[in-house]
Amino acid sequence: MVSIKQINRQTILDFLSWGRSGSEGIKCRLQVLRNFFWMGNLQGWFFIEQDIIRNEDFPKQKRGNPNPLTDTITEQIENNLHILPEPIARMWIISFFTAMRPGELAFLKKDCLVQEGENWKVVFERKKTKDWHEVPITRTIAKVIQQQVSYIQQLWTDEWDYLFCHYQGLSKSDPTQPNIIPVRKIIPKKHNTLKLAICCLIKALNIRDDNGRLARFSPNLIRHTRLTQLFEQGHDLAVVSAWAGHKYLATTSIYYTHVSCELIEKEAGHIQKSLFNADGQYLSYENLPSSLRLNPRAHELDLSGDHINTPIYGYCGLPLEQQCDKFRACYTCRCFVAVVEKLPLYIKTRDELRAKHSRAMSQGQDVLVEQFAVQEAQLDKIIASLEKDYEQRKYKDSQN
Ligand code: SF4
């Protein structure tokens, strides 16, 4: 039997190295002991040094990443955002696209939207890392931000600096939130507006996870879900890391820390610049399949050629779930998307086609002559449009 007088710091250290309890068990026992020693000292039952148990003795709590929302849950939420009041739906759209933390969304300023030429980006302060972060965004997201700016401006003009606000009267059962009243307060951590509204939507629509349980949602999951989604869609780890300003991913390689906003733009933004179809007509970015906007790589065409086949460069605008029933007929296909970055390759391919065309003619290969002539004509149209667009851009840049 050990007397209380024999208990000292070494006893505690021996207990810590005993190793028969899990970290939860150690934590629990240390806390009970600490309380007991404190009470004993206070009541005068015994005297024990106050630092016999130190804060550093408690096992560190390991915090894993939360599980991201599954694609099915995200899809169901996004398909039903129109049920929510518009400003709340906009909270989801903006935070999801930019992978913002809830606190960053709450403090997002009205002047966060920045236009550079034809490109847009969101610039915001990150309290956690005490820095400013920028994420390139699409024209659609820029439009959503503009709508929110005009909504909040109508509410409180210049008396309110932030893009979003808190709401009173949120319902737990009616996702249309008929009784909400905007309040001139930052979105709070507790009773977070977005959390309450999305949880209400999940409940009303009975959105279930893969195990059949009602889906759980917290605004912290948005960032994690978005980053996982970007990574799974094939974006480079460095790009995902830079997109998020994500420390954990960034430290995986020195190279990753050098990724700039320009590289993100190159990865995600280039597909929204100068898009043309096979007839050299301008293509609207918004009308392309969403997977092409989110993950251009999955749609990229980069097929080498031989003496009969023509190399193909560009993007296939067919939704990923649809099968292509043509074979290498991209330059005459209505789904083909040409981009300015590939202009030198189109010129090279067209010149090679001309040479093949003359060879096939001299050898009397009529089928090939016809095939090459059609592709040549399409490439001529694409090249003409891209060159014109390129010149216009150069002119605009020189004016800025
Ligand atoms: S032929 Fe058309 S649908 Fe098929 S891969 Fe080429 S662009 Fe896509």
Side-chain angles (χ1 to χ4, degrees), residues 31-44:
Q31 194 57 55
V32 169
L33 265 179
R34 197 186 231 185
N35 290 345
F36 173 67
F37 292 155
W38 177 78
M39 182 60 80
N41 277 350
L42 196 75
Q43 299 289 339

Side-chain angles (χ1 to χ4, degrees), residues 301 303 312 315-318 323-337:
L301 296 165
L303 304 172
I312 315 276
Y315 291 85
C316 171
L318 196 69
Q323 288 280 328
C324 162
D325 53 7
K326 300 167 189 163
F327 177 68
R328 300 183 72 112
C330 303
Y331 292 133
T332 54
C333 174
R334 60 177 179 80
C335 293
F336 181 69
V337 180

Side-chain angles (χ1 to χ4, degrees), residues 74-84 201 205 207:
T74 315
E75 209 178 300
Q76 289 185 72
I77 293 174
E78 296 205 323
N79 287 344
N80 290 289
L81 282 179
H82 61 276
I83 299 174
L84 301 177
L201 185 75
L205 300 177
I207 299 176

